[in-house]
């Protein structure tokens, strides 16, 4: 709650409700919220235990949440769904009469763990959102959270196993702090826009599951190397997006979505393009635009460390003016690199044309 207050954003309150004492838990939450009075944007409620075979008590929990939480805050939407894999949502009938929205979670490592497989999941994310929307008969879809790995084992039949001392916990992925992780995050943001999600929550705030390292640094630096107090590269993707709060977002069509992702943001006359290379090779990407000049920032292996150690300094630097040729801008992305390109003003629609693996050669 303190972090939300510091960031100036409302809370998305998620409660995994015990089937043995649901009314007591929900009443305790109501009383706690009445005492502290934080700003809340949504309630998310789901059973503490979700059987894989379906038949969880979502309807009873949703009914109680409406009776207990709604009277004091009728304008705050109540989201009901799953706190684990999407298949769990499909195995239980949604209590449509008691819910305003449906909530789901996503992670790219349920079945495979290599980089290519993780990128391939980006094309599936809009499909999952649309499927959840259909199941909820058109109600908005809230995705919370998106993480790199499952947060727990939903198929376990007993207590969750503790991580072995000296090893990374199973929910931690070193790619959280990598350029690849930043590019994957951009691809996921694009997927959320394409799928029309109502809202999305990514990661945690600090630590090896967050967007920046803690002040103490990594507990296992030999396995999860990082710099205490620094940000991770994906911080800049979220910052690039957040600077256009209140604007519009457009999922740009990529010639090869498994190679790169691109997103356009617009607020007023200011347009921003964010592009990410998902591969270990350099790419040249073409963007059609009516602007004559774009201000361009790169984030790649040549400057990632400085951008992590001094994020404010990185973001305050002036972009490199880049002129278009016959209405087409060429962007050269380093392996797993990202580019932010700003144009002001803008007067028409923009879209991606193609890419080339050989820098300087367009297709």
């Amino acid at each position: 709650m303190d972090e939300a207050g510091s960031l100036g954003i409302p809370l998305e309150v998620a409660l995994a409700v015990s089937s043995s004492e649901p009314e007591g838990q929900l009443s305790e939450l109501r009383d706690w919220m009445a005492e502290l009075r934080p700003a809340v944007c949504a309630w998310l409620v789901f059973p503490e235990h979700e059987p894989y075979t379906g038949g969880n008590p979502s309807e009873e929990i949703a009914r109680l949440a409406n009776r207990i939480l709604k009277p004091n805050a009728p304008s705050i939407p109540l989201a009901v769904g799953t706190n684990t894999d999407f298949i769990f949502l499909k195995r239980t009938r949604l209590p449509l009469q008691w819910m305003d929205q449906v909530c789901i979670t996503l992670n790219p490592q349920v079945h495979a763990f290599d980089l290519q497989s993780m990128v391939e999941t980006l094309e599936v994310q809009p499909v999952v959102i649309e499927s959840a929307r259909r199941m909820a008969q058109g109600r908005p879809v809230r995705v919370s959270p998106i993480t790199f790995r499952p947060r727990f084992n939903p198929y376990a039949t007993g207590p969750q196993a503790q991580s072995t001392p000296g090893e990374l916990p199973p929910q931690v992925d070193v790619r959280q702090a990598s350029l690849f992780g930043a590019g994957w995050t951009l691809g996921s943001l694009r997927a959320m826009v394409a799928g029309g999600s109502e809202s999305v929550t990514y990661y945690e705030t600090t630590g090896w599951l967050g967007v920046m390292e803690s002040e103490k640094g990594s507990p296992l630096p030999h396995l999860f190397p990082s710099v205490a107090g620094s940000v991770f590269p994906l911080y800049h993707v979220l910052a690039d997006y957040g600077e256009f709060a209140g604007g519009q977002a457009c999922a740009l069509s990529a010639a090869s979505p498994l190679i790169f992702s691109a997103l356009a943001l617009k607020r007023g006359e200011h347009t921003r393009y964010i592009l990410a290379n998902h591969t270990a090779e350099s790419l040249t990407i073409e963007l059609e635009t009516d602007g004559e000049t774009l201000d361009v920032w790169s984030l790649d292996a040549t400057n990632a460390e400085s951008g992590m150690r001094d994020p404010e300094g990185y973001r305050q630097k002036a972009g490199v003016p880049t002129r278009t040729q016959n209405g087409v801008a060429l962007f050269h992305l380093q392996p797993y690199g990202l580019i932010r390109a700003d144009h002001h003003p803008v007067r028409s629609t923009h879209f991606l044309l193609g890419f080339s693996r050989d820098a300087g050669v367009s297709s």
Side-chain angles (χ1 to χ4, degrees), residues 8 10-11 143 162 167 176 212 222 240 251 265 291 329 332 345:
L11 286 171
V143 186
Q162 298 296 315
E167 295 183 2
Q176 185 93 19
M212 61 182 70
H222 61 294
D240 289 344
L265 307 172
H332 306 296

Side-chain angles (χ1 to χ4, degrees), residues 127-355:
V127 179
V128 173
I129 293 171
E130 179 55 34
S131 180
R133 185 182 297 112
R134 285 198 305 270
M135 293 174 61
Q137 295 186 8
R139 288 168 175 77
V141 180
R142 189 173 288 269
V143 186
S144 179
I146 292 180
T147 56
F148 278 109
R149 284 189 172 175
R151 291 164 293 138
F152 56 91
N153 179 8
Y155 307 97
T157 57
Q160 296 284 321
Q162 298 296 315
S163 58
T164 303
E167 295 183 2
L168 291 177
Q171 66 269 32
V172 175
D173 191 319
V174 294
R175 290 168 289 197
Q176 185 93 19
S178 70
L179 285 167
F180 172 84
W184 188 91
T185 301
L186 176 66
S188 179
L189 272 172
R190 181 201 173 279
M192 295 300 102
V193 172
S197 63
E198 175 74 9
S199 72
V200 57
T201 300
Y202 283 95
Y203 316 128
E204 297 183 3
T205 308
T206 60
W208 50 22
L209 299 177
V211 301
M212 61 182 70
E213 185 53 275
S214 67
E215 291 299 327
K216 294 182 179 179
S218 171
L220 297 172
H222 61 294
L223 297 178
F224 191 98
S226 62
V227 177
S230 68
V231 306
F232 299 150
L234 56 81
Y235 166 96
H236 289 293
V237 172
L238 298 175
D240 289 344
Y241 192 92
E243 287 174 352
F244 277 68
Q248 298 174 310
C250 177
L252 298 179
S253 298
S256 180
L258 299 182
I259 301 298
F260 69 96
S261 294
L263 185 65
L265 307 172
K266 181 179 180 182
R267 189 174 62 187
E269 293 188 325
H270 186 188
T271 296
R272 170 170 292 171
Y273 307 99
I274 316 175
L275 303 93
N277 178 1
H278 298 310
T279 77
E281 302 178 36
S282 297
L283 298 179
T284 292
I285 297 176
E286 298 180 350
L287 178 74
E288 186 173 285
T289 173
D290 62 352
E292 294 183 357
T293 303
L294 298 169
D295 293 325
V296 177
W297 293 259
S298 298
L299 185 67
D300 51 47
T302 65
N303 64 349
E305 183 174 353
S306 61
M308 295 165 68
R309 290 179 178 273
D310 182 16
E312 291 82 6
Y314 167 81
R315 303 194 65 79
Q316 290 172 1
K317 289 181 180 179
V320 177
T322 302
R323 293 189 62 83
T324 61
Q325 300 176 3
N326 300 320
V328 176
L330 296 180
F331 298 110
H332 306 296
L333 280 83
Q334 297 299 311
Y336 302 117
L338 296 99
I339 276 181
R340 164 172 44 116
D342 286 2
H343 174 49
H344 181 91
V346 64
R347 296 181 296 281
S348 68
T349 304
H350 303 73
F351 55 92
L352 287 180
L353 294 178
F355 77 99

Side-chain angles (χ1 to χ4, degrees), residues 71-125:
N72 292 337
S75 63
I76 298 176
L78 176 68
V80 180
T82 182
N83 190 36
T84 182
D85 296 344
F86 184 65
I87 186 65
F88 286 75
L89 186 73
K90 299 177 70 174
R91 291 179 178 269
T92 300
R93 181 187 294 272
L94 287 171
L96 299 176
Q97 70 273 35
W98 302 115
M99 55 188 278
D100 303 309
Q101 300 176 351
V102 60
C103 55
I104 61 174
T105 74
L106 291 172
N107 79 82
Q109 297 190 73
V110 175
H111 302 295
F113 316 101
D114 60 283
L115 300 184
Q116 182 66 20
S117 296
M118 290 178 67
V119 173
E120 290 172 356
T121 66
L122 297 174
E123 291 189 288
V124 180
Q125 290 185 10

